[in-house]
Amino acid sequence: IQMTQSPSSLSASVGDTVTITCRASQDISSSLAWFQQKPGKAPKSLIFAASSLQNGVPSRFSASGSGTDFTLTISSLQPEDFATYFCQQYDGFPFTFGPGTNVDVK
Amino acid sequence: EVDLVESGGGLVQPGRSLRLSCAAFGFNFNDYAMTWVRQAPGKGLEWVSSISGNGASGGSTHYADSVKGRFTISRDDLKNKVYLQMNRLRAEDTAVYYCAKSPGYSSNYFDSWGQGTLVTVSA
């Protein structure tokens, strides 16, 4: 299953709302996760089952979608949110990740 | 608190072997699936291999095509460790290798990640 993300990068300011899109090459139901990664650091799990927040993830993060089309939205972007975001399908092996979306400072 | 600590990375020549370890703390290790994910320098994330917890599927394993036949994932539930035995290493295996924990005995999404260990394959 191929995963694509758009945009590949975006520039935003603190307080902005940003939306990232992830698309699967076939129906994966709700078997989708989102991760955040900062340079030189391990990924951090944000979302599972397409729309469920991991424990401790701020409520400004939200996600939706099912089937092949998914979105991650960050409301009121905070300084610590500038990072790269990846989606990942776990509907079946091999698990596959999207190429990432880099969110940087405008 | 869950903690995953990888070790065993380093510089290795092409064709040689290396074994990575991931020590797990803060949860009942044998109940949970574990996975290795890698990231080549400047690149995205690539799933490598998963092993289920000791539920109904009893330690079943899965591999990416790129490592099948060369890498072996295993677990020692007495030591709370998961391993990745990497044989016949290639330059394209150069990456930071992360271990990740799933929330149940079946491999699916990940709720915790280790800090990673760097493997460099070069002559």
Side-chain angles (χ1 to χ4, degrees), chain A residues 37 41-42 45 48 54 93, chain B residues 39 47 62 98 109-110 113-114:
Chain A
Q37 188 179 34
K41 299 296 186 182
S45 299
F48 65 95
Q54 291 277 5
F93 292 105
Chain B
Q39 187 169 36
W47 171 79
H62 300 271
Y98 298 101
Y109 64 93
F110 316 126
W113 296 71

Side-chain angles (χ1 to χ4, degrees), chain B residues 81-96:
Chain B
K81 289 187 175 182
V82 61
Y83 302 100
L84 188 67
Q85 176 67 42
M86 305 185 294
N87 298 332
R88 303 199 307 276
L89 282 160
R90 307 166 179 167
E92 54 265 37
D93 295 320
T94 294
V96 174

Side-chain angles (χ1 to χ4, degrees), chain A residues 10 18 22 27 30 32 39 42 45 48 55 59-60 65 69 80 82-84 92-93 98 101-104:
Chain A
L10 65 90
V18 301
C22 175
D27 189 340
S30 296
L32 186 98
S45 299
F48 65 95
N55 289 341
S59 58
R60 62 181 180 273
D69 294 313
E80 60 269 29
F82 292 101
T84 299
F93 292 105
T101 295
N102 183 50
V103 178
D104 64 16

Side-chain angles (χ1 to χ4, degrees), chain B residues 10-89:
Chain B
L11 174 64
V12 61
Q13 294 178 327
R16 303 299 290 266
S17 300
L18 205 61
R19 189 178 82 156
L20 306 183
S21 299
C22 172
F25 303 92
F27 62 100
N28 195 14
F29 180 74
N30 61 290
D31 285 343
Y32 297 93
M34 300 296 294
T35 292
W36 288 96
V37 174
R38 69 184 180 184
Q39 187 169 36
K43 302 296 184 181
L45 299 168
E46 179 187 15
W47 171 79
V48 174
S49 181
S50 295
I51 185 166
S52 66
N54 287 315
S57 52
S60 63
T61 59
H62 300 271
Y63 298 94
D65 285 346
S66 58
V67 308
K68 198 172 295 183
R70 299 188 299 124
F71 290 11
T72 301
I73 191 171
S74 62
R75 62 190 298 151
D76 185 333
D77 291 340
L78 294 179
K79 295 183 177 179
N80 287 0
K81 289 187 175 182
V82 61
Y83 302 100
L84 188 67
Q85 176 67 42
M86 305 185 294
N87 298 332
R88 303 199 307 276
L89 282 160

Side-chain angles (χ1 to χ4, degrees), chain A residues 20 22 30-36 43-65 70-74 85-90 97, chain B residues 103 108-113:
Chain A
I20 299 167
C22 175
S30 296
S31 299
L32 186 98
W34 289 96
F35 305 95
Q36 175 195 69
K44 175 186 175 182
S45 299
L46 299 176
I47 301 283
F48 65 95
S51 61
S52 297
L53 260 65
Q54 291 277 5
N55 289 341
V57 174
S59 58
R60 62 181 180 273
F61 289 90
S62 64
S64 64
F70 303 87
T71 60
L72 173 70
T73 299
I74 312 171
Y85 294 85
F86 296 92
C87 60
Q88 178 234 335
Q89 69 80 19
Y90 54 92
F97 291 86
Chain B
N108 41 49
Y109 64 93
F110 316 126
D111 56 11
S112 298
W113 296 71

